[in-house]
Amino acid sequence: MTNRLKKIFTVVIPASAVLAAGTAWFVTRFPASSFEKTGSQGEPSAQLVARGEYVSRLTDCVACHSVPGGAAYTGGLKMVTPMGAIFATNITPDRERGIGAYTLADFDRALRSGVAKDGHRLYPAMPYPSYAKLSDDDVKALYAYFMKGVPAVHLENRKSTIPWPLNMRWPLAFWNVVFAPSDVYRPDTSKDAQWNRGAYLVEGAGHCGACHTPRSLAFNEKGTDSRSAAFVSGALIDGWFAPSLRNDANTGLGRWSEDDVFRFLKTGRNDHAVVFGSMTEAFNNSTQFFSDDDLRAVAHYLKSLPGDGQRDGTPWQYEPTQTKALQPAGRQGIPGAQTYMAKCSFCHGADGRGQGQWVPPLAGAASSLVPDSSSSINVTLNGSGRVVAAGVPDSYRMPSYREQLSDGEIADVLTFIRSSWGNRQSPVMKPDVKKLREQTVPASSSPVILKTR
Amino acid sequence: MELNINGIQHHVDVEPDTPLLWALRDDLAMTGTKYGCGLAQCGACTVLVDGQAVRSCVTPVEKVAGASITTIEAIEQDDLGKRVVAAWVKHQVPQCGYCQSGQVMAATSLLRQVPHPTDADIDAAMVNLCRCGTYNAIRAAIHDLASGSTDGGA
């Protein structure tokens, strides 16, 4: 008995203590920042702050760390997970409620490793698995911008509604070890400089995969770089289906040229599509501010990602199938055809081909060809957001049909669209429309719904 | 940008995405075509492009350069259009009148496609909104036109 007690005191307890201390250190302090030994750099140059502002456009921090009508970077955006809601935080340089007390190393650890200054883990709703690839120079510039270029706002963060014990964050340290890339972007020497710049922007700063890459059950993106076939292959997020950015002829960028991709990200539109859904914000706040060289690099890189013919199906070709059916007599017998002519055709054309770059086609559109009908339903119910290119709002915008069309009418008209002009998708069902109608309430600032599939 | 409107070539100095409605009303002072909702929902701005009814508020001028555009100002230069206007007068269709230039364009387009429309055809094609509720008068006028009893000189 004494022996056993002695053993407990001399071996088990110290060992447990060391293990606990080790774990505590690991979950709150690991990994260290490469700036740990960097002392204060003094006042950053105006040039560095300006460079940081540009990097903040690439990383689009404002998209989540602001709410409509609120001051920039004060957080508050609600994100709903199956466990409860979380809120984006105040990242203005306020010393108490923002990140004003952060050193460069603290900032770096939050940005690239997902660890806050006090050691708590950030949820990967913060795209640190992508930002991990940011270069030291860009992190330094971004820090300079957030400390000197952003006005401090004394606004308190909102508390997460996730209950104990699910709200414990330390296990995320282990999640990170398994799922989050932990190294800066390393150029692929077999590729040219433009491709590598594009990869850095798409995989890293632009965190395109946060929406466009499907997630597995553990919420991790199924691929984080060009080596994975799942990377930016399309995913359902927040009531929208973010389409494939790979060379899938139907559901991706297969029919787009590099110049088409460039113009889409620069002006918000091209002959294939106009930004809508969550991409409107990404365009309004971020992509249009990329330099032309950076956008061309993004286009060059994306066009190098192979599609998956098996998933994508037979490449779409235009078929003038509905010309006769859309005559006044013909359309009366086809569910959806009359609604199409009365509500959709004046903009999208009786031929489904839209109006040049100004109104997008529905014939051959990724949203018409992808099996998941969420984007089609969502944009019909709620319309599209204001697209502001170079300070000028768009002339043409998809109106909301929430009040005008019933679930059945929307299901019928979308079924018609998704089976016309060479589009061959399964029918849209009434319950799908009903579900999205309930989930998306345009009048309130609707929360971001994080989902896996 | 060159626009052929009512048989006359016009030059308008506008951005390519300018809605045709604004080129007509603001640049060419052809104010017979009305602005209603600006979202292709009401039909007050309907004009004919190569004989088809289009909503000029959602038609970029770039798209109709080179096409033949007909507005309410010239509808009576067309035999069918002239008969439609006469029937509208005979049946005293307009109340406040705001939507009626669009209604006349839509009716002309329908009758050109379907000379003898049924009630269902009329319901299907005449989706322009009328706040005064002149729908019954519109239907009566179109049936009258289809039966051929309204002649152009009436």
Side-chain angles (χ1 to χ4, degrees), chain A residues 327 331-332 338 358 396 401, chain B residues 17 41 58 62 113 121 124:
Chain A
Q327 299 294 319
R331 64 191 190 236
Q332 292 161 36
Q338 173 59 24
W358 308 113
Y396 307 100
Y401 287 95
Chain B
D17 62 329
Q41 302 296 291
V58 292
E62 182 182 60
Q113 263 186 303
D121 291 339

Side-chain angles (χ1 to χ4, degrees), chain A residues 326-329 331-332 338 341-343 346-347 353-359 393-401 404, chain B residues 16-20 38-41 53-55 57-63 110 113-114 118 120-121 123-125 127:
Chain A
L326 290 173
Q327 299 294 319
R331 64 191 190 236
Q332 292 161 36
Q338 173 59 24
M341 286 307 282
K343 303 292 179 189
F346 292 107
C347 296
R353 301 190 106 157
Q355 307 200 49
Q357 62 177 311
W358 308 113
V359 178
D394 49 1
S395 306
Y396 307 100
R397 200 171 307 148
M398 172 82 178
S400 157
Y401 287 95
Q404 284 193 50
Chain B
D17 62 329
T18 305
L20 173 61
L39 291 165
Q41 302 296 291
V54 307
R55 305 268 159 106
C57 74
V58 292
T59 303
V61 286
E62 182 182 60
K63 188 79 179 165
L110 166 65
Q113 263 186 303
V114 188
T118 62
D121 291 339
D123 288 348
V127 293

Side-chain angles (χ1 to χ4, degrees), chain A residues 250-251 316 352 361-372 375-376 414 417-421 423-426:
Chain A
N250 296 329
T251 60
W316 171 87
L362 301 175
S367 56
S368 305
L369 296 175
V370 76
D372 187 299
S375 289
S376 302
L414 292 178
I417 289 166
R418 287 160 64 87
S419 59
S420 298
W421 314 297
N423 299 346
R424 284 198 186 82
Q425 269 306 331
S426 49

Side-chain angles (χ1 to χ4, degrees), chain A residues 41-262:
Chain A
Q41 303 282 296
E43 196 70 9
S45 68
Q47 207 182 359
L48 188 65
V49 174
R51 170 72 198 164
E53 183 171 8
Y54 179 70
V55 176
S56 80
R57 291 297 195 179
L58 303 179
T59 50
D60 199 11
C61 312
V62 80
C64 290
H65 286 281
S66 304
V67 285
Y73 302 120
T74 50
L77 185 75
K78 187 178 186 179
M79 301 190 183
V80 179
T81 75
M83 290 132 4
I86 55 177
F87 297 89
T89 54
N90 181 344
I91 54 167
T92 71
D94 184 81
R95 286 192 72 82
E96 280 168 45
R97 297 182 173 173
I99 58 168
Y102 276 51
T103 63
L104 173 59
D106 294 335
F107 180 79
D108 175 29
R109 293 182 72 227
L111 188 67
R112 292 195 290 194
S113 308
V115 192
K117 184 179 172 67
D118 65 7
H120 82 259
R121 295 276 161 174
L122 307 183
Y123 289 109
M126 162 76 177
Y128 60 85
S130 303
Y131 293 159
K133 298 187 179 186
L134 287 172
S135 69
D136 285 3
D137 282 349
D138 279 353
V139 174
K140 255 189 259 180
L142 206 51
Y143 178 71
Y145 171 64
F146 273 103
M147 292 303 131
K148 301 295 170 192
V150 173
V153 180
H154 196 63
L155 187 74
E156 190 131 39
N157 287 323
R158 295 180 65 182
K159 290 246 179 323
S160 146
T161 65
I162 299 178
W164 188 88
L166 294 170
N167 66 352
M168 288 192 296
R169 293 173 176 231
W170 58 265
L172 282 163
F174 302 101
W175 185 94
N176 288 344
V177 171
V178 183
F179 295 121
S182 59
D183 200 6
V184 295
Y185 179 74
R186 302 277 175 215
D188 179 341
T189 48
S190 70
K191 301 286 201 323
D192 60 32
Q194 190 188 34
W195 187 94
N196 276 296
R197 177 66 183 163
Y200 176 78
L201 292 167
V202 171
E203 297 172 10
H207 62 285
C208 307
C211 291
H212 290 274
T213 301
R215 290 173 189 261
S216 69
L217 282 176
F219 267 103
N220 59 305
E221 293 167 32
K222 283 182 179 167
T224 55
D225 59 36
S226 61
R227 288 188 298 273
S228 161
F231 182 63
V232 294
S233 63
L236 180 67
I237 181 167
D238 193 18
W240 300 98
F241 190 84
S244 163
L245 304 180
R246 307 178 68 88
N247 273 296
D248 296 302
N250 296 329
T251 60
L253 304 179
R255 278 178 278 125
W256 297 32
S257 66
E258 275 187 42
D259 197 53
D260 289 337
V261 179
F262 171 81

Side-chain angles (χ1 to χ4, degrees), chain B residues 25 29-34 44 72-73 98 101-102:
Chain B
R25 290 183 59 88
M30 299 171 76
T31 52
T33 306
K34 301 303 181 198
I72 190 70
E73 281 87 353
Y98 197 81
S101 57

